[in-house]
Amino acid sequence: MENNELNLPGYEIPEDVKNVVAVTTLDRLLNPVYNWGRRSSVWPLMFGLACCAIEMIAAQASRYDLARFGMEVMRPTPRQADLMIVSGTVTKKMVPAIVRLYNQMPEPKYVMAMGACASSGGPFKEGYNVVAGIDKFLPVDVYVPGCPPTPQALMNGLIMLQKKIDKEKISQVRWYRKGHDSVEIPVPILGPDLIDPRRIPDIKAAAAQPVTTPAQAGG
Amino acid sequence: MTAPASSLTIDLAARFPGAVSADVRPGYGGFIVPAEKLIEVATAIRDEFGYDLLSAVTGVDYIADNKMEVVYHAFKTTGGPAFVFKVQVPRENPVLPSVVNIWRGAEFQEREAWDLLGIKFEGHPDLRRILMWEGFEGHPLRKDWKEPFFEEEVKPFKSRWPDGKHTFAEVKNPFRDNLQFPADFDPEKVTFTDPEEALYKSLKKYHSETRDGIETDHILVNMGPQHPSTHGVFRAVVMLDGETVVSLKPVMGYLHRNHDKIGERNTFLQNMPYTDRLDYFCSMTNNFGYALAVEKLMNIQVPERADYIRVIMSELTRIQNHLIFLGMFLNDLGAMYTPALYAFEERELILDIFEEVAGARMMCNYFRFGGVARDMGEDALRKARELVFDRLPGKVDEMDRLLTENEVLVSRVKGIGYLSAEDAIRTSMTGPMLRASGVPYDIRRADPYSIYDRFDFNVACRPEGDLLARYMVRIDEMRESLKILGQALKQIPAGPIFPGKPQYQVKVPAGESYGRVESPKGELAYYVVSNGKPNPYRYHVRPSSFVNLTSLEQMCIGEKIADFVAILGGIDIVLGELDR
Ligand code: SF4
């Protein structure tokens, strides 16, 4: 946290204690301290989907050492995690599980789409079992490009997330506001193809059109 | 190198006159067996001719001939080339007997052929979908099945090349997404078949009994697809009696990324970067197998230097894979992360070399048909020499010393997850899994490819067949790899790394080919069918992790649930290759 945003203007502080003394109001203090605490202990969900997960592990390991950001505490259970790094290709078969995991994470929670696949489907976008980006289901905070993103890129993404957290105001964040409890995302259903419950009217309407698909002959 | 994937030294047609005939299509090899004779012929192939290891079972949809063809590749564990035989069935009603009772290793691959191509295997004990979910519409690998984002039969698509006016696939699809539904589909009216139901039914029945006046019952545990010990999105349904495993079913497909379908739309060369993403720890060996398969079809010779570079890259890959295996395996046993940190330290150094020669750490995309993409510079060679001669031998010893004598480790793995040599062969295990059961079968020795016949190394093999043996085989193998690397780095000649000029579009003559390599996880093979066009007609990956899971249930039954985690870790699966 920057000292100058903390200090109330108009108070002269002696040079030799400038680093340790600040004159401020509770109002000014609250947000920086709150955000600083949170941004320095973002606990990611221990959750790997595909190749990108290996670079995520590499970012945690010896050379890159994510612990420097306070982010090395991977939680295998979503109930203790703050950040879901969607590290890999999201398939239709997997997406119900991912949505369920997201729903189980307590607020405040963030989602990072790591790599081309999680951002948009990537090299596998045209595949029949691939969801073209996790943002079709979950709200994404940070996108990290690459296939796979190098550990440096992932770290840059995490720094972006920290910057985002720095801008939060305790009076405005959604998890403290009345009536804004964590939003449950409806879990997709595996039918003849993937069905997003929020889109059932669209699907019905499009399926009623005469030619529905490019070609569904045979098979 | 000759085009057909098999040898015709055995005349199956003479053994079964009138029933079996040689496959005489140009570029093809092996024999065509009528469906009703399959069991008899297959039994003879295994028992009389000695082809005890069934490597691959896959289907090809020959839509122009209105036929489905099922292709089998069998090998002898004593070595030698493949024995290929095929069964042709009509497309409308593709039914043939299952060979599961002859080679149990066919179990998952037959299920895959049913899932993706709709070929029915009669007598299969558990014919369910394996990669897609139960209830999915259609069999995607059929040539007339089109995916929702279908644009054209083959690449390069006109919308991207040469003029490149691409619109989003979502815009063209009526559902505005990667979706397709039957006409008049109404999600509110349909009741869906629960994809899980068939799965739970396939588990063994539990008979409760009364012990000490107390009625017993089973517990059903779902491990995965999100579980820290499953190495990705693998799932296993385990039925427990107390802590003991009674029945277990692996569930795959959570990372099914449709390599085969995308691969058949791609041009030959466009598939190379996709192979990187199969076993994402070992992109170099993945490249290798695919390059071999296509080179066999093209019948081209690889320059000496390129061959050496290929071997160097493959063996470095093996070492880093096995290092990570050690780290992750110990993780599974509860030594949380410390050994893995040691492993990653060395891996980073190997990845530095990959990055230097190929431009990428993990997704190297380095091999080309006929050679490699870039030369290995002096600096990269120096780094490799430093690693191989000065650093890695000591580090392998260090790992060995730190871990192997650890009493906790030994008591957790000794005698656990036993698999006999016969069972390992019957379930088509390959790689370290097979060698840890006392079968010294290593493709680098049994059916040498590239220039592996020039090097002096031992096939790491342990007879015990338990987890400790699997762990030790990997340590031995790293030492053998270092031996090969030492020789290769000393002998590597100067010269070209590619015959002629690199081409974007290669000409591949019609025919079939089966290229296989000893990847760090087992036998990784590619079955490629070309019809002379710029795109493969059939592109199939025979993944080692997938087939190696066949024996998972057998190894786990009777063990504790905590040992399941260790046994799974011991197989060394990687989901990208398992689900493709
Ligand atoms: S973006 Fe690339 S590296 Fe990451 S999961 Fe997708 S294919 Fe793998």
Side-chain angles (χ1 to χ4, degrees):
Chain A
M1 120 190 62
E2 292 291 319
N3 227 13
N4 47 7
E5 53 183 82
L6 202 59
N7 268 322
L8 271 186
Y11 289 87
E12 197 59 42
I13 298 168
E15 195 59 42
D16 50 341
V17 290
K18 236 185 177 151
N19 280 339
V20 282
V21 175
V23 178
T24 187
T25 58
L26 192 60
D27 201 32
R28 271 182 172 242
L29 181 68
L30 205 54
N31 281 323
V33 169
Y34 176 70
N35 290 339
W36 169 76
R38 296 240 335 279
R39 54 123 58 193
S40 314
S41 64
V42 177
W43 289 5
L45 179 63
M46 191 192 262
F47 168 64
L49 287 179
C51 353
C52 279
I54 310 304
E55 284 298 54
M56 182 174 76
I57 300 172
Q60 306 227 327
S62 335
R63 186 184 279 181
Y64 298 98
D65 195 9
L66 213 52
R68 293 175 293 158
F69 298 86
M71 294 186 182
E72 83 285 14
V73 195
M74 297 288 258
R75 305 317 286 173
T77 157
R79 305 198 187 270
Q80 299 173 348
D82 307 309
L83 167 66
M84 175 187 259
I85 303 180
V86 183
S87 53
T89 318
V90 181
T91 62
K92 292 180 183 173
K93 195 168 176 178
M94 186 64 193
V95 78
I98 299 177
V99 170
R100 216 170 283 139
L101 285 169
Y102 178 81
N103 285 342
Q104 287 172 352
M105 283 167 64
E107 291 277 16
K109 56 185 167 188
Y110 304 93
V111 177
M112 171 184 278
M114 178 185 181
C117 285
S119 305
S120 71
F124 297 99
K125 175 167 178 174
E126 63 212 82
Y128 48 85
N129 189 27
V130 173
V131 174
I134 189 63
D135 54 5
K136 301 228 152 128
F137 290 91
L138 308 182
V140 174
D141 294 283
V142 183
Y143 295 87
V144 182
C147 181
T150 55
Q152 294 96 320
L154 176 64
M155 279 178 198
N156 190 43
L158 292 169
I159 294 171
M160 300 290 277
L161 180 68
Q162 291 190 321
K163 286 191 178 149
K164 188 170 179 172
I165 295 175
D166 280 340
K167 295 223 172 68
E168 280 168 359
K169 297 224 159 43
I170 203 165
S171 57
Q172 284 168 14
V173 289
R174 70 174 178 277
W175 46 93
Y176 287 142
R177 292 175 61 193
K178 269 222 176 79
H180 277 78
D181 275 354
S182 187
V183 203
E184 281 252 329
I185 310 243
V187 178
I189 306 159
L190 294 175
D193 207 331
L194 187 72
I195 301 165
D196 184 347
R198 298 170 299 186
R199 293 197 52 209
I200 283 180
D202 295 359
I203 291 172
K204 223 159 96 173
Q209 300 291 318
V211 179
T212 54
T213 55
Q216 185 52 285
Chain B
M1 269 181 225
T2 47
S6 76
S7 71
L8 285 169
T9 44
I10 291 166
D11 197 356
L12 200 65
R15 170 72 180 72
F16 294 97
V20 175
S21 56
D23 189 350
V24 289
R25 291 170 289 180
Y28 286 74
F31 296 92
I32 296 179
V33 180
E36 60 282 358
K37 280 263 182 195
L38 177 63
I39 295 299
E40 189 190 333
V41 175
T43 313
I45 290 170
R46 185 191 67 181
D47 296 342
E48 282 173 41
F49 303 121
Y51 287 89
D52 45 358
L53 187 80
L54 184 73
S55 158
V57 182
T58 187
V60 190
D61 180 10
Y62 288 105
I63 188 164
D65 307 336
N66 205 15
K67 267 187 205 140
M68 288 272 181
E69 187 174 284
V70 181
V71 187
Y72 302 83
H73 285 80
F75 291 91
K76 286 181 185 168
T77 43
T78 46
F83 188 84
V84 187
F85 57 102
K86 299 154 191 177
V87 178
Q88 294 183 334
V89 281
R91 233 178 142 261
E92 296 79 50
N93 184 27
V95 187
L96 70 160
S98 159
V99 295
V100 167
N101 289 328
I102 302 167
W103 293 286
R104 252 208 68 208
E107 185 181 343
F108 290 168
Q109 301 191 64
E110 287 187 345
R111 273 177 71 187
E112 185 191 320
W114 155 245
D115 185 357
L116 302 183
L117 283 153
I119 301 171
K120 276 198 209 82
F121 293 88
E122 261 172 358
H124 190 289
D126 185 21
L127 197 64
R128 285 176 294 122
R129 279 184 185 268
I130 188 161
L131 295 176
M132 300 305 287
W133 60 88
E134 215 59 56
F136 180 74
E137 177 90 2
H139 299 288
L141 275 189
R142 291 189 163 211
K143 286 286 174 186
D144 52 4
W145 193 94
K146 306 232 159 59
E147 63 272 31
F149 278 168
F150 172 76
E151 199 171 329
E152 267 174 68
E153 277 301 331
V154 289
K155 285 178 189 167
F157 297 149
K158 290 191 192 67
S159 65
R160 327 247 172 115
W161 190 83
D163 297 329
K165 288 191 201 69
H166 178 55
T167 40
F168 277 107
E170 278 91 342
V171 178
K172 287 184 236 156
N173 181 296
F175 298 97
R176 302 278 171 266
D177 205 345
N178 191 1
L179 299 172
Q180 62 188 3
F181 292 100
D184 285 326
F185 173 71
D186 183 351
E188 280 159 340
K189 295 222 181 81
V190 184
T191 43
F192 302 109
T193 38
D194 182 5
E196 309 287 83
E197 211 179 277
L199 165 67
Y200 292 131
K201 251 194 227 136
S202 74
L203 285 164
K204 238 192 355 228
K205 255 198 122 36
Y206 182 85
H207 299 284
S208 42
E209 49 185 289
T210 315
R211 279 183 220 157
D212 303 333
I214 298 169
E215 183 100 338
T216 67
D217 202 358
H218 67 276
I219 311 168
L220 208 57
V221 180
N222 266 292
M223 290 184 86
Q226 151 63 8
H227 190 279
S229 77
T230 53
H231 297 235
V233 286
F234 173 77
R235 171 178 164 204
V237 184
V238 195
M239 188 189 272
L240 296 176
D241 177 3
E243 269 193 278
T244 313
V245 177
V246 186
S247 177
L248 179 151
K249 285 280 168 192
V251 190
M252 298 93 142
Y254 291 99
L255 191 56
H256 179 45
R257 301 191 280 193
N258 329 123
H259 273 271
D260 290 17
K261 188 81 179 175
I262 295 175
E264 285 164 21
R265 302 230 186 279
N266 281 344
T267 63
F268 280 96
L269 191 57
Q270 279 174 337
N271 274 340
M272 192 59 86
Y274 279 90
T275 63
D276 290 340
R277 286 153 182 83
L278 285 167
D279 173 355
Y280 29 74
F281 279 109
C282 313
S283 60
M284 291 288 190
T285 44
N286 299 348
N287 284 184
F288 207 165
Y290 181 55
L292 283 180
V294 179
E295 278 158 11
K296 264 191 205 168
L297 278 171
M298 293 168 68
N299 204 5
I300 43 176
Q301 209 59 46
V302 180
E304 281 265 305
R305 185 176 173 84
D307 256 336
Y308 272 94
I309 296 179
R310 285 175 168 198
V311 167
I312 293 171
M313 292 303 150
S314 305
E315 295 311 312
L316 283 174
T317 300
R318 195 178 318 277
I319 293 176
Q320 61 97 8
N321 179 79
H322 285 354
L323 280 170
I324 299 294
F325 165 81
L326 295 188
M328 291 302 164
F329 185 57
L330 268 288
N331 232 1
D332 290 340
L333 292 177
M336 205 56 193
Y337 224 48
T338 310
L341 287 177
Y342 277 72
F344 267 94
E345 194 181 343
E346 306 313 309
R347 178 176 185 258
E348 288 292 337
L349 297 173
I350 294 176
L351 293 197
D352 281 348
I353 298 177
F354 291 171
E355 191 169 6
E356 190 163 337
V357 298
R361 285 156 51 86
M362 270 173 70
M363 304 304 173
C364 300
N365 184 18
Y366 183 54
F367 287 38
R368 294 291 177 271
F369 309 128
V372 291
R374 288 171 207 84
D375 200 358
M376 195 174 174
E378 255 326 299
D379 187 54
L381 274 172
R382 181 187 52 79
K383 274 189 194 157
R385 288 199 181 104
E386 269 172 24
L387 267 184
V388 169
F389 294 121
D390 305 332
R391 187 175 169 111
L392 285 177
K395 289 288 168 183
V396 174
D397 291 346
E398 185 185 52
M399 280 292 232
D400 189 10
R401 202 174 61 242
L402 286 177
L403 303 177
T404 314
E405 281 153 36
N406 183 314
E407 224 171 281
V408 181
L409 175 97
V410 174
S411 59
R412 276 295 306 270
V413 295
K414 203 169 174 156
I416 300 291
Y418 175 71
L419 189 67
S420 69
E422 295 76 53
D423 284 339
I425 296 171
R426 236 161 53 85
T427 47
S428 297
M429 297 283 115
T430 47
M433 287 296 291
L434 183 59
R435 292 193 285 276
S437 286
V439 184
Y441 179 75
D442 185 323
I443 302 170
R444 293 174 293 173
R445 190 46 67 68
D447 184 13
Y449 53 95
S450 187
I451 50 166
Y452 273 109
D453 46 2
R454 296 186 193 174
F455 301 112
D456 168 35
F457 68 100
N458 297 324
V459 173
C461 183
R462 298 255 167 178
E464 294 88 358
D466 61 355
L467 265 180
L468 183 61
R470 278 166 221 152
Y471 164 88
M472 291 307 296
V473 159
R474 264 105 177 184
I475 294 201
D476 297 345
E477 243 169 53
M478 282 197 278
R479 298 210 168 104
E480 296 304 325
S481 286
L482 283 171
K483 251 198 227 167
I484 299 177
L485 277 168
Q487 297 165 52
L489 283 167
K490 277 188 193 134
Q491 295 166 9
I492 181 169
I497 49 149
F498 199 82
K501 241 178 52 205
Q503 281 169 313
Y504 172 66
Q505 197 76 280
V506 289
K507 259 204 94 47
V508 182
E512 61 170 359
S513 116
Y514 192 71
R516 55 180 199 145
V517 290
E518 181 71 36
S519 94
K521 295 182 168 80
E523 170 175 339
L524 172 68
Y526 295 81
Y527 178 66
V528 180
V529 176
S530 164
N531 53 2
K533 301 227 174 86
N535 310 75
Y537 184 76
R538 178 84 175 94
Y539 166 78
H540 172 74
V541 187
R542 185 267 185 214
S544 40
S545 308
F546 182 67
V547 185
N548 277 359
L549 280 179
T550 313
S551 62
L552 180 67
E553 177 170 22
Q554 186 182 355
M555 288 189 287
C556 289
I557 285 181
E559 305 284 9
K560 298 268 188 289
I561 177 82
D563 294 330
F564 156 72
V565 173
I567 292 170
L568 183 69
I571 303 180
D572 194 12
I573 56 168
V574 63
L575 268 293
E577 185 198 64
L578 206 162
D579 290 340
R580 284 148 295 147

